[in-house]
Amino acid sequence: MYVCGPTVYNYVHIGNARVFVFYDVVERYLKFSGYQVERVMNFTDVDDKIIVKANEEKTDSLTVSERYIAAFIEDMKALRVNPPKVAPKVTDHIQEIITLIEGLVANGSAYVANDGEVFFSVRKFKDYGKLSGKNVDDLISGARVQTDEKKQDPLDFSLWKPQKNTNEPAWDSPWGKGRPGWHIECSAMSMKYLGASFDIHGGGMDLIHPHHENEIAQSEAFSLKTFAKYWLHSNMLTFNAEKMSKSLGNIMLTRDFIKKYSGEVLRYFLLSGHYRSTIDYSEQHVREVQSALHRFYSALAKAESASQSSNSNSGKSSPEEEKILQFGLEFDAKWKESMDEDLNTAKVIGLVFEYVRSLNSYIDKKGFKPTAHTQAIAGRFVDSFKKLSQVLNIFGENPKDFLTQLRLSVLSERGIESQDIEMKISQRTEARAKKDFALSDAIRNELLSQGIELRDLPGGTEWDIIFKN
Ligand SMILES: [Zn+2]
């Protein structure tokens, strides 16, 4: 599997992160299903954007690219994305790229302009457009095709760019000093590590045309083999219903999101929609995610403790107990079915909450009495998520730790200090001891208006956050 990686000139935003989280799940699910997977993801570390950034900072491209490669690796770790098996950099593969371009020039698929720029001749590749379903003439009339006197045809694209300024990174080539175009690098690196023909090629939906269409043309014109058998493209993230982009200034960086919320919240958020649909980012949406995870981990915490205790004398199980145990027994098969239906993580998450709802309604009615039946139900619930978390890599945290961290992050969003809550709880305990129930109720209601709920338990009063969606 080859996934187009980042152009390393900036920190990745959560829309970029969606792509990498998705392919991480694809790899995990394929492995879970018994496949052997080798995932290759490149770093585009030579590019106009990197050169511009380096000039702005009065430094060189390498300094910029190394910094953002390190930042990317850090962000992916925080998002618990497995590193790819190979993460090749363009600058380490210049020779492979030159060899590929030489082959294309030799077989007539590419040509060299007077200044040493090498172009791919799109009309020579008769299948051009087969991925996006567009034909060459549609592309010409619709596209932002720039006319360039050096090109034989406006659709032709650059494989090798001559050096214009001495501060641009450049390598020697048969066509003079220069650097590769963007598209050719992915053909060279994917074919080097996976062969001329491999199974899955992925990337964001915005890459279908021209990037992936061009990759197919170059690779197949060179090898005369089918390049990738399956193409997967994940859709973008919108920001309050607008496209997330640097120029609109509505970017949420992955690292900022994780710092504010957590990696678990971001992964859940990114997997909560089907990969081919857009997901809209808004604070309201994040609150819904926090609320859902709060519900899930609260149920998991209860199930974990109930799965550890039972007494032997439990009698016959009730129909409701039978029903929920049955749901648990079928759960693995159901979520796998949804994953087999075009990797529908949104549907899987829907199933999770069906399960959580039925568990909660059972607990609300009966509580977790320590019987063999409740132990079986709780144990089944806990085990279900051990398995699912191998694939989604969410729902697998320690519930206590997750809930503690979530409460703190929600309090800080609401501008509440946890010490203030503790103080009010002790004032209330004092009031109750003096039978001042008016004050005790007033304190409870004041906290409730801030979205804090108190529970009086035998061991003392506990508090939890509540969400008003
Ligand atoms: Zn690519």
Side-chain angles (χ1 to χ4, degrees), residues 3-178:
V3 179
C4 291
T7 301
V8 279
Y9 72 105
N10 213 336
Y11 297 113
V12 285
H13 62 65
I14 55 174
N16 306 133
R18 184 182 185 186
V19 176
F20 304 109
V21 167
F22 171 64
Y23 293 103
D24 178 54
V25 169
V26 174
E27 175 173 346
R28 285 169 190 273
Y29 186 55
L30 288 171
K31 284 182 170 167
F32 184 85
S33 309
Y35 291 92
Q36 261 189 307
V37 185
E38 286 178 25
R39 179 163 46 101
V40 179
M41 187 215 70
N42 70 297
F43 284 113
T44 297
D45 63 343
V46 53
D47 185 87
D48 288 342
K49 289 174 188 149
I50 301 171
I51 296 169
V52 168
K53 184 104 178 183
N55 289 343
E56 278 169 14
E57 293 185 4
K58 299 195 175 13
T59 182
D60 55 296
S61 284
L62 192 68
T63 306
V64 171
S65 64
E66 290 295 322
R67 182 197 312 149
Y68 292 110
I69 287 174
F72 179 84
I73 292 170
E74 231 174 66
D75 287 347
M76 290 305 114
K77 201 173 166 200
L79 259 180
R80 305 187 308 243
V81 168
N82 276 334
K85 189 179 180 211
V86 196
K89 295 178 204 162
V90 178
T91 52
D92 291 335
H93 295 80
I94 301 294
Q95 193 47 55
E96 286 84 349
I97 294 169
I98 290 175
T99 306
L100 180 53
I101 300 174
E102 280 182 313
L104 291 170
V105 172
N107 75 16
S109 300
Y111 58 92
V112 188
N114 287 334
D115 65 349
E117 181 151 8
V118 186
F119 290 99
F120 186 86
S121 188
V122 166
R123 285 187 195 270
K124 296 255 173 71
F125 185 69
K126 64 172 176 22
D127 284 337
Y128 193 85
K130 67 178 172 180
L131 181 67
S132 55
K134 292 174 178 164
N135 69 42
V136 171
D137 295 312
D138 292 344
L139 291 170
I140 275 211
S141 60
R144 300 163 294 175
V145 180
Q146 287 164 356
T147 39
D148 182 337
E149 284 169 8
K150 290 186 286 178
K151 291 183 186 180
Q152 291 173 2
D153 188 290
L155 275 182
D156 295 349
F157 58 88
S158 193
L159 300 174
W160 186 262
K161 299 177 176 192
Q163 188 185 33
K164 289 190 212 106
N165 284 307
T166 46
N167 64 352
E168 287 181 3
W171 291 262
D172 290 323
S173 81
W175 320 286
K177 256 182 152 12

Side-chain angles (χ1 to χ4, degrees), residues 2 4 186 211-212 215:
Y2 184 88
C4 291
C186 283
H211 185 55
H212 288 163
E215 274 189 50

